[in-house]
Amino acid sequence: MLALLGDYTLQTVALGAIILGVASGALGSFAVLRRQSLLGDALSHAALPGVALGFLIAGGRALPALLAGALATGVAAALTITLLQRRSRLKSDAAIGIALSVYFAVGVVLLSVVQRSAGAGQAGLETFLFGQAAAILRSDLGLMAGVATAALVLLVALWKEFELTSFDPVFAASLGLPVALLDAVMTAMIALAVVLGLQMVGVVLMSAMIVAPAVAARQWTNRLGLMVLLAAVFAALSGVLGALASASARGLATGPLIVLTLTVWTAISLTFAPNRGFVAAARRRRRVRHALRDRQVLALLDELAERHDDPNYASEQGLLDGYLGVKSGAALRALHEAGLVEQVRHRPEEGVHWRLTDAGREALAEPGHGVEAAHP
Amino acid sequence: MTPEHLHEPDLAIHVEDLTVSYGAKPALWDVDLDVPPGVMAAIVGPNGAGKSTLLKAILGLIRPTAGHVYLKGKPYREQRRKVGYVPQRSSVDWDFPTRVIDVVTMGLYGNLGWLRRPGKRERAQAEAALEQVGMAEYRDRQIAQLSGGQQQRTFLARALVQDADVLFLDEPMAGVDARSEAAILEVMRDLRSNGKTLLVVHHDLQTVRTTFDWMVLLNVRMIAQGPVDEVYTRENLHAAYGGNVALLDAPGVEPVGNGS
Amino acid sequence: MNALFASIPFTIIATGALVAVAASLLGTFLVLRRESLATDAIGHAIVAGIVLVWLATGLTSGPVQLLGAALAGVATVLLANALTRSRRMQNDAAIGLVFPAMFSLGVLLLNLFARQVHIDAHTVLLGEIGFVWLDTVNVLGVQVPDAMVWLGLVTLVNLAFVTAFFKELELGTFDAAQAAAFGFAPGLLGVALLTLTSVTAVASFDAVGVVLFVAFAIVPPAAAYLLSDRLHRVLLIASGIGIASSVLGYFVAVAWDVSIGGMMAVMTGVFLAGALAFGPRYGIVAQAVRRRGEREVGENRALAVHLCQHEADPDVGEENVLEALRGHLRWPDAKARAVVARCIDQGWVKRDGRVLTLTDRGRSAAREILRPGG
């Protein structure tokens, strides 16, 4: 893999993937937090007619024209969604689905016009469907980097305003922030990120570049700044890996490879992230269950001792099993290790007997705490 | 009467002829409201009486059909810096990646202005406010990991850092545990004794008399307003709640005053 | 009969119409249940299903392919729902996460095995409705295009499903809790709906591809929903719009020499735009007219209430005058004059020198408004 990095084309591809990843990861975080995940989906599908229009107007495959066209139809789709949500009885899911499919249909029609006028070469526009890393030229990188930098500078400059309007728009309005304007700027920036990725990931899968890095990053942190940073890093890394894999294996589209890399990483994040991960959650549930069980055992020992008017009374393990209705061995071992119970052996032929230590009695008196100490 | 001149500067809140309607449906009809400074006022009324709507219209979050609002003699837009707001708890996404301290710091964003970022001074202010509502130890918790009462106290702290003269609270006691309710009440009383004015949407008729000193009884129109002891009469409550007599005649809530 | 099915325009239009009707029958309920985007997820996910079934069985059409590929669609939606329930992300993020992954898998499998399967990656997206007449089967002595046979069957199944469970679907759509209380198992019905949507998507796949399927499934029902409140009418109107879109789309596409499937989907959008603008009740024009009326009524009532509230005040000469409407109600001069004129016209208000006074009718209207609960 490292040897590949020396290759000029691959360098271009990797740089493009990094620029795209940073922009889509950072801005995608806000899209996901604002419950606009599928807006990215609609915007990217709606970019298709724009790409075709850009081609028809510029009379050729000029990247600035294609991207400008994509941005224009993307914003038009966003406005269509807003119109449908505000002025009709349709809900957001239908509004997004309508914009997504109808704009894409217009794109399909325009694409057939382009194909007819440009002849058999198909003008190379079909690479915009699934993305093709190799189609990126060194000269494209300047434009991509410029657009991405502009968006990120705006994001940093208006950070606290975006943070507040995303979290609590009502409160933001009470402070006098222009919430509607900030929303519009954020939507335009997300559209920009989508447009950046069209060449590499394609219109159909670009939505994944918006959603997946943000979902993965959210699992690792509870802080907005860190989440945005992590999302950018995840997306850039997945982009580089996927793009390089596609460049080195002939015939595999770049977009799907990047998206699958991202998906694997998101699945890992969902499963193994320290607090929110499924594994951590399962362990936490188990710990609570065990703590509860241990507490039952301690309470039972205490009750039996009280019944015999002997604080040092030791109960036989089999008897405990009978009272609890389950085997108490595991719980007793854990409590023993924590020093909350101790073993007493009266005669060798008898079973093991257990009684509370002073620490055990203390732990029992302290509600909630103490017992968990046996399961750190 | 033009905005440059002070209009009713002796009143903390002065609302005149406020009408809000959603389509043809009335939400508030021609409401006049005057709240003197330094009182803790409850807005009380049945469901759908327009209590939250009144608050939002005063805060400029809803455009009224008619009427105007003045705070300490000036229109709301000029007094924004002097206003604190605690919205209903349901208005935010609790899974948002933000900690208690971050939320409280957001209260300062209005005063910071564009492009400036919160620094050490702002963090210190936020921490002091958390201390005041008894939430200092939860500083780094993600907000979903708090009880309803703790969440409400966090919002209250966010309003405290605004260092406002007039505070608006929308149902601060709804769904809150007893300990948080006590903490919130204590902070509210402290604020009042420091000369602040509080206007609180309150859902619990039974605790109005013990908690507040000013009362605004609303049911789409203004029924009555003034010191609690004068407003909390059987007649007024009947006028506001209509046929809901059972509530009023329940033991322990016998209205005071000369109404009965 | 043979002549009809040998006519290329007829087969293309009929195929489009069958896709539209089959998809709208189910799409209506998805739109009403706010699950429109399930069609998007399903459409993208079945690509992987189609290739996987082909790899396992070597079949590229037939009932096994239909059901096997549909499973991938259902699994995707169920996985997205499970992720939502895990509360690690919102529902929209879950959909946006799962279906691109499934689609990527499908496209990569196609890249790897494209030479052996009859589909390539681009027809996946766009479909080839212009070529449906190429593959035909013999049905009772008539050569019928393959796609039409399967689409016809699916349409019948969907129609039977919607007819048989109409009551349950209606209740489950508008009030899931109530339906569950009646023992209608809305969850199960929902899964059945998704499964049929998935099967329909697979059957439509060759003709219109994955994205245009979304247009056929939700745009006609959405347009119909803007035109009617009655469920059975929404279903009928949606089917009608779908058929009309197929016919119009075909002729426009042929006239302009552009993509036929694309133009049919664009036509559904044109119908939606028409319904949005000119719908008799929910259209934007109708809404604007109604809002204006409501606003005027609201203003008239606000004036009446204002006058009523202050007519007993000692400062009535200060409150109930035209100037007060500007100073207190903050109405611009023109608006204040217009409202007063309207109220005088309808006999609520009369001028008494400078002071505006309520007529008896105006006063009783104001009192009616101010009555508690009124």
Side-chain angles (χ1 to χ4, degrees), chain A residues 31-32 34-38 41 45 48 83-84 86-98 100-102 104-106 108-109 111-113 115-116 122 126-127 129-130 203-205 207-208 211-213 215 218-219 251-253 255-257 259-260 263 266 270 275-278 281 284, chain C residues 30-31 33-37 40 44 83 86-97 99-105 107-108 111-112 121-122 124-126 211-212 214-215 218-219 222-223 225-229 256-259 261-263 265-266 268-270 272 276 282-284 287-288 291:
Chain A
V32 168
R34 299 156 76 96
R35 306 186 188 189
Q36 293 182 327
S37 300
L38 293 167
D41 195 22
H45 280 82
L48 188 64
L83 175 77
L84 286 170
R86 295 243 175 99
R87 303 302 296 276
S88 84
R89 58 206 301 230
L90 297 169
K91 301 300 179 295
S92 70
D93 63 317
I96 288 173
I98 289 165
L100 177 158
S101 59
V102 174
F104 189 83
V106 174
V108 170
V109 169
L111 213 54
S112 63
V113 175
Q115 270 171 12
R116 189 163 33 111
Q122 299 188 345
E126 303 230 331
T127 57
L129 291 176
F130 297 109
V203 298
V204 185
L205 290 173
S207 65
V211 177
V215 170
R218 177 68 189 90
Q219 311 311 316
L252 294 183
L257 278 173
V259 170
L260 279 185
T263 308
T266 308
L270 281 167
N275 280 310
R276 291 167 67 97
F278 296 134
R284 220 165 25 239
Chain C
L30 292 172
V31 167
R33 293 161 70 108
R34 304 183 187 184
E35 292 172 1
S36 309
L37 289 165
D40 190 29
H44 285 90
L83 281 174
S86 82
R87 311 219 311 209
R88 299 306 195 279
M89 64 195 81
Q90 304 286 344
N91 181 247
D92 60 334
I95 295 175
L97 188 66
F99 86 76
M102 287 294 280
F103 189 64
S104 298
L105 190 68
V107 172
L108 282 181
N111 284 164
L112 289 172
H122 295 145
V124 162
L125 279 184
L126 314 179
V211 186
L212 298 184
V214 179
I218 66 172
V219 181
Y225 180 54
L226 295 179
L227 297 172
S228 178
D229 285 322
W256 292 352
D257 189 16
V258 294
S259 157
M263 202 34 118
V266 170
T268 64
V270 171
L272 179 97
L276 177 67
Y282 301 106
I284 286 176
Q287 272 183 44
R291 275 215 194 123

Side-chain angles (χ1 to χ4, degrees), chain A residues 32 36 41 56 66 87 110 152 196 200 241 243 245 274 307 318 322 330 341 345-346 352 369:
Chain A
V32 168
Q36 293 182 327
D41 195 22
L56 289 172
L66 303 189
R87 303 302 296 276
L110 289 176
L152 290 179
L196 275 181
M200 189 171 280
L241 276 177
R307 240 188 254 170
V341 297
R345 212 173 266 277
H346 294 286
V352 189
H369 295 283

Side-chain angles (χ1 to χ4, degrees), chain A residues 33 167 218-224 227 275-276, chain B residues 92-103 106 135 137-148 150-151 154-155, chain C residues 87-88 90:
Chain A
L33 291 175
F167 172 61
R218 177 68 189 90
Q219 311 311 316
W220 299 92
T221 177
N222 279 329
R223 304 182 60 171
L224 180 63
M227 172 179 167
N275 280 310
R276 291 167 67 97
Chain B
V92 304
D93 167 19
W94 292 105
D95 199 38
F96 200 87
T98 190
R99 300 166 302 166
V100 169
I101 184 79
D102 301 323
V103 173
M106 287 179 200
M135 288 280 296
E137 58 178 307
Y138 299 102
R139 179 185 187 284
D140 291 322
R141 282 267 187 103
Q142 199 273 333
I143 47 165
Q145 296 160 5
L146 301 172
S147 72
Q150 290 166 338
Q151 289 171 342
T154 306
F155 273 12
Chain C
R87 311 219 311 209
R88 299 306 195 279
Q90 304 286 344

Side-chain angles (χ1 to χ4, degrees), chain C residues 322 325-326 331-342 351:
Chain C
L322 196 61
L325 304 187
R326 293 198 286 268
W331 284 348
D333 193 46
K335 179 174 170 182
R337 282 175 194 283
V339 178
V340 170
R342 280 203 308 268
R351 266 179 209 277

Side-chain angles (χ1 to χ4, degrees), chain A:
Chain A
M1 209 63 152
L2 280 176
L4 286 175
L5 289 173
D7 185 292
Y8 185 79
T9 315
L10 291 188
Q11 278 178 1
T12 308
V13 168
L15 279 174
I18 289 171
I19 295 169
L20 160 66
V22 170
S24 62
L27 295 168
S29 297
F30 281 92
V32 168
L33 291 175
R34 299 156 76 96
R35 306 186 188 189
Q36 293 182 327
S37 300
L38 293 167
L39 183 70
D41 195 22
L43 290 177
S44 57
H45 280 82
L48 188 64
V51 168
L53 271 180
F55 184 94
L56 289 172
I57 290 170
R61 200 175 189 283
L63 190 65
L66 303 189
L67 298 193
L71 189 63
T73 48
V75 169
L79 291 175
T80 306
I81 292 172
T82 312
L83 175 77
L84 286 170
Q85 279 179 329
R86 295 243 175 99
R87 303 302 296 276
S88 84
R89 58 206 301 230
L90 297 169
K91 301 300 179 295
S92 70
D93 63 317
I96 288 173
I98 289 165
L100 177 158
S101 59
V102 174
Y103 275 79
F104 189 83
V106 174
V108 170
V109 169
L110 289 176
L111 213 54
S112 63
V113 175
V114 171
Q115 270 171 12
R116 189 163 33 111
S117 62
Q122 299 188 345
L125 286 196
E126 303 230 331
T127 57
F128 278 94
L129 291 176
F130 297 109
Q132 197 179 64
I136 294 182
L137 305 173
R138 192 47 75 99
S139 57
D140 297 342
L141 287 183
L143 178 67
M144 284 178 73
V147 172
T149 310
L152 290 179
V153 166
L154 197 58
L155 181 67
V156 172
L158 297 179
W159 179 270
K160 72 179 191 305
E161 284 76 16
F162 285 134
E163 178 191 12
L164 184 52
T165 49
S166 302
F167 172 61
D168 193 346
V170 176
F171 184 73
S174 84
L175 293 183
L177 289 183
V179 178
L181 181 67
L182 286 166
D183 282 352
V185 171
M186 179 49 84
T187 304
M189 281 163 67
I190 293 168
L192 216 53
V194 166
V195 166
L196 275 181
L198 291 181
Q199 250 191 320
M200 189 171 280
V201 184
V203 298
V204 185
L205 290 173
M206 192 50 214
S207 65
M209 288 297 284
I210 298 289
V211 177
V215 170
R218 177 68 189 90
Q219 311 311 316
W220 299 92
T221 177
N222 279 329
R223 304 182 60 171
L224 180 63
L226 209 52
M227 172 179 167
V228 170
L229 200 68
L230 283 177
V233 171
F234 292 167
L237 282 180
S238 305
V240 171
L241 276 177
L244 290 183
S246 142
S248 53
R250 208 159 273 284
L252 294 183
T254 314
L257 278 173
I258 293 180
V259 170
L260 279 185
T261 316
L262 254 181
T263 308
V264 169
W265 177 243
T266 308
I268 291 174
S269 302
L270 281 167
T271 313
F272 298 110
N275 280 310
R276 291 167 67 97
F278 296 134
V279 172
R283 284 177 61 176
R284 220 165 25 239
R285 272 197 303 276
R286 219 182 104 213
R287 205 157 57 226
V288 169
R289 214 170 47 234
H290 281 188
L292 211 65
R293 181 200 64 188
D294 292 356
R295 206 172 171 77
Q296 273 183 325
V297 172
L298 286 183
L300 179 60
L301 284 173
D302 187 52
E303 194 194 322
L304 289 173
E306 206 163 287
R307 240 188 254 170
H308 288 84
D309 276 332
D310 174 11
N312 283 322
Y313 179 80
S315 314
E316 205 231 329
Q317 190 172 329
L319 183 77
L320 295 175
D321 290 351
Y323 269 106
L324 290 168
V326 288
K327 292 278 180 200
S328 57
L332 286 165
R333 270 195 303 282
L335 291 167
H336 184 56
E337 260 171 53
L340 302 182
V341 297
E342 58 190 358
Q343 275 189 36
V344 185
R345 212 173 266 277
H346 294 286
R347 262 173 264 145
E349 69 273 15
E350 273 186 358
V352 189
H353 284 63
W354 299 88
R355 70 178 177 214
L356 289 174
T357 63
D358 289 341
R361 268 183 288 273
E362 259 170 50
L364 193 58
E366 195 181 339
H369 295 283
V371 181
E372 272 100 353
H375 301 278

Side-chain angles (χ1 to χ4, degrees), chain C residues 148-170:
Chain C
M148 281 186 71
V149 175
W150 290 112
L151 278 169
L153 280 175
V154 168
T155 307
L156 287 178
V157 171
N158 290 353
L159 192 61
F161 172 74
V162 169
T163 316
F165 295 105
F166 187 83
K167 182 168 87 264
E168 289 81 357
L169 279 168
E170 187 176 30

